[in-house]
mmCIF file of all heavy atoms in Angstrom:
data_model
loop_
_atom_site.group_PDB
_atom_site.id
_atom_site.type_symbol
_atom_site.label_atom_id
_atom_site.label_comp_id
_atom_site.label_asym_id
_atom_site.label_seq_id
_atom_site.Cartn_x
_atom_site.Cartn_y
_atom_site.Cartn_z
ATOM 1 N N LEU A 42 -83.475 56.246 108.261
ATOM 2 C CA LEU A 42 -83.481 57.695 108.431
ATOM 3 C C LEU A 42 -82.199 58.314 107.906
ATOM 4 O O LEU A 42 -82.210 59.361 107.262
ATOM 5 C CB LEU A 42 -83.664 58.029 109.912
ATOM 6 C CG LEU A 42 -85.008 57.572 110.533
ATOM 7 C CD1 LEU A 42 -85.012 57.871 112.024
ATOM 8 C CD2 LEU A 42 -86.170 58.252 109.840
ATOM 9 N N CYS A 45 -82.004 58.711 104.112
ATOM 10 C CA CYS A 45 -82.809 59.782 103.536
ATOM 11 C C CYS A 45 -82.154 61.151 103.701
ATOM 12 O O CYS A 45 -82.602 62.135 103.127
ATOM 13 C CB CYS A 45 -84.184 59.810 104.198
ATOM 14 S SG CYS A 45 -85.154 58.304 103.911
ATOM 15 N N ALA A 59 -81.064 47.661 107.048
ATOM 16 C CA ALA A 59 -79.683 47.220 106.902
ATOM 17 C C ALA A 59 -79.647 45.700 106.769
ATOM 18 O O ALA A 59 -80.412 44.989 107.417
ATOM 19 C CB ALA A 59 -78.874 47.663 108.117
ATOM 20 N N PRO A 69 -73.785 40.558 114.192
ATOM 21 C CA PRO A 69 -73.383 40.923 112.833
ATOM 22 C C PRO A 69 -71.877 41.004 112.655
ATOM 23 O O PRO A 69 -71.161 41.509 113.498
ATOM 24 C CB PRO A 69 -74.007 42.304 112.652
ATOM 25 C CG PRO A 69 -73.994 42.879 114.031
ATOM 26 C CD PRO A 69 -74.260 41.729 114.963
ATOM 27 N N VAL A 119 -62.735 48.314 87.589
ATOM 28 C CA VAL A 119 -63.374 47.021 87.341
ATOM 29 C C VAL A 119 -62.942 46.493 85.984
ATOM 30 O O VAL A 119 -63.108 47.167 84.958
ATOM 31 C CB VAL A 119 -64.907 47.140 87.380
ATOM 32 C CG1 VAL A 119 -65.543 45.755 87.222
ATOM 33 C CG2 VAL A 119 -65.378 47.793 88.682
ATOM 34 N N LEU A 132 -65.556 57.834 92.599
ATOM 35 C CA LEU A 132 -66.528 57.866 93.686
ATOM 36 C C LEU A 132 -66.864 59.285 94.115
ATOM 37 O O LEU A 132 -68.014 59.573 94.465
ATOM 38 C CB LEU A 132 -65.999 57.064 94.884
ATOM 39 C CG LEU A 132 -65.689 55.587 94.611
ATOM 40 C CD1 LEU A 132 -65.161 54.926 95.876
ATOM 41 C CD2 LEU A 132 -66.912 54.848 94.085
ATOM 42 N N VAL A 154 -57.400 43.138 87.654
ATOM 43 C CA VAL A 154 -56.539 44.319 87.689
ATOM 44 C C VAL A 154 -55.971 44.482 89.086
ATOM 45 O O VAL A 154 -56.680 44.337 90.085
ATOM 46 C CB VAL A 154 -57.307 45.593 87.258
ATOM 47 C CG1 VAL A 154 -58.563 45.795 88.104
ATOM 48 C CG2 VAL A 154 -56.408 46.812 87.323
ATOM 49 N N ASP A 179 -53.333 56.392 82.949
ATOM 50 C CA ASP A 179 -54.013 55.512 81.996
ATOM 51 C C ASP A 179 -53.241 55.305 80.695
ATOM 52 O O ASP A 179 -53.788 54.769 79.731
ATOM 53 C CB ASP A 179 -55.425 56.018 81.663
ATOM 54 C CG ASP A 179 -56.282 56.236 82.893
ATOM 55 O OD1 ASP A 179 -56.149 55.459 83.847
ATOM 56 O OD2 ASP A 179 -57.085 57.194 82.897
ATOM 57 N N ARG A 183 -46.274 49.011 78.773
ATOM 58 C CA ARG A 183 -45.661 47.832 78.164
ATOM 59 C C ARG A 183 -46.583 46.634 78.333
ATOM 60 O O ARG A 183 -47.545 46.677 79.112
ATOM 61 C CB ARG A 183 -44.304 47.513 78.804
ATOM 62 C CG ARG A 183 -44.377 47.070 80.262
ATOM 63 C CD ARG A 183 -43.003 46.726 80.826
ATOM 64 N NE ARG A 183 -42.184 47.924 80.939
ATOM 65 C CZ ARG A 183 -42.189 48.711 82.003
ATOM 66 N NH1 ARG A 183 -42.986 48.448 83.028
ATOM 67 N NH2 ARG A 183 -41.421 49.771 82.058
ATOM 68 N N THR A 220 -39.296 44.807 84.498
ATOM 69 C CA THR A 220 -38.764 44.364 83.209
ATOM 70 C C THR A 220 -39.552 43.215 82.587
ATOM 71 O O THR A 220 -39.445 42.967 81.384
ATOM 72 C CB THR A 220 -37.303 43.910 83.363
ATOM 73 O OG1 THR A 220 -37.259 42.749 84.207
ATOM 74 C CG2 THR A 220 -36.464 45.024 83.997
ATOM 75 N N LYS A 229 -47.390 22.667 88.641
ATOM 76 C CA LYS A 229 -47.556 21.926 87.396
ATOM 77 C C LYS A 229 -48.902 21.225 87.468
ATOM 78 O O LYS A 229 -49.524 21.139 88.530
ATOM 79 C CB LYS A 229 -46.434 20.905 87.202
ATOM 80 C CG LYS A 229 -46.395 19.810 88.268
ATOM 81 C CD LYS A 229 -45.279 18.812 87.978
ATOM 82 C CE LYS A 229 -45.272 17.690 89.033
ATOM 83 N NZ LYS A 229 -44.227 16.692 88.746
ATOM 84 N N GLY A 231 -51.741 18.848 88.065
ATOM 85 C CA GLY A 231 -51.894 17.718 88.978
ATOM 86 C C GLY A 231 -52.706 18.104 90.192
ATOM 87 O O GLY A 231 -53.187 19.235 90.308
ATOM 88 N N ASN A 242 -57.348 32.605 90.694
ATOM 89 C CA ASN A 242 -57.136 33.842 91.443
ATOM 90 C C ASN A 242 -56.026 33.669 92.473
ATOM 91 O O ASN A 242 -55.703 32.553 92.886
ATOM 92 C CB ASN A 242 -58.427 34.280 92.138
ATOM 93 C CG ASN A 242 -59.498 34.715 91.154
ATOM 94 O OD1 ASN A 242 -59.843 33.979 90.234
ATOM 95 N ND2 ASN A 242 -60.026 35.906 91.324
ATOM 96 N N GLU A 255 -57.870 27.066 93.059
ATOM 97 C CA GLU A 255 -57.797 26.086 91.975
ATOM 98 C C GLU A 255 -59.219 25.640 91.634
ATOM 99 O O GLU A 255 -59.786 24.782 92.308
ATOM 100 C CB GLU A 255 -56.962 24.884 92.379
ATOM 101 C CG GLU A 255 -55.522 25.198 92.759
ATOM 102 C CD GLU A 255 -54.790 23.931 93.165
ATOM 103 O OE1 GLU A 255 -54.666 23.016 92.315
ATOM 104 O OE2 GLU A 255 -54.368 23.839 94.329
ATOM 105 N N TYR A 359 -62.872 46.945 107.525
ATOM 106 C CA TYR A 359 -62.395 46.977 106.144
ATOM 107 C C TYR A 359 -63.554 46.661 105.213
ATOM 108 O O TYR A 359 -64.622 46.193 105.639
ATOM 109 C CB TYR A 359 -61.223 46.025 105.897
ATOM 110 C CG TYR A 359 -61.434 44.579 106.289
ATOM 111 C CD1 TYR A 359 -62.088 43.692 105.446
ATOM 112 C CD2 TYR A 359 -60.939 44.088 107.493
ATOM 113 C CE1 TYR A 359 -62.257 42.367 105.786
ATOM 114 C CE2 TYR A 359 -61.108 42.763 107.857
ATOM 115 C CZ TYR A 359 -61.768 41.905 107.003
ATOM 116 O OH TYR A 359 -61.945 40.585 107.356
ATOM 117 N N GLY A 382 -71.205 47.234 121.709
ATOM 118 C CA GLY A 382 -71.969 46.635 122.791
ATOM 119 C C GLY A 382 -72.229 45.151 122.648
ATOM 120 O O GLY A 382 -72.874 44.551 123.504
ATOM 121 N N THR A 396 -74.950 27.815 106.089
ATOM 122 C CA THR A 396 -76.132 27.126 105.579
ATOM 123 C C THR A 396 -75.779 26.326 104.328
ATOM 124 O O THR A 396 -75.261 26.881 103.362
ATOM 125 C CB THR A 396 -77.237 28.138 105.245
ATOM 126 O OG1 THR A 396 -77.518 28.890 106.420
ATOM 127 C CG2 THR A 396 -78.491 27.428 104.788
#
Side-chain angles (χ1 to χ4, degrees):
L42 297 176
C45 297
V119 184
L132 301 179
V154 55
D179 306 324
R183 67 178 68 88
T220 65
K229 63 178 182 178
N242 292 54
E255 301 179 62
Y359 54 83
T396 303

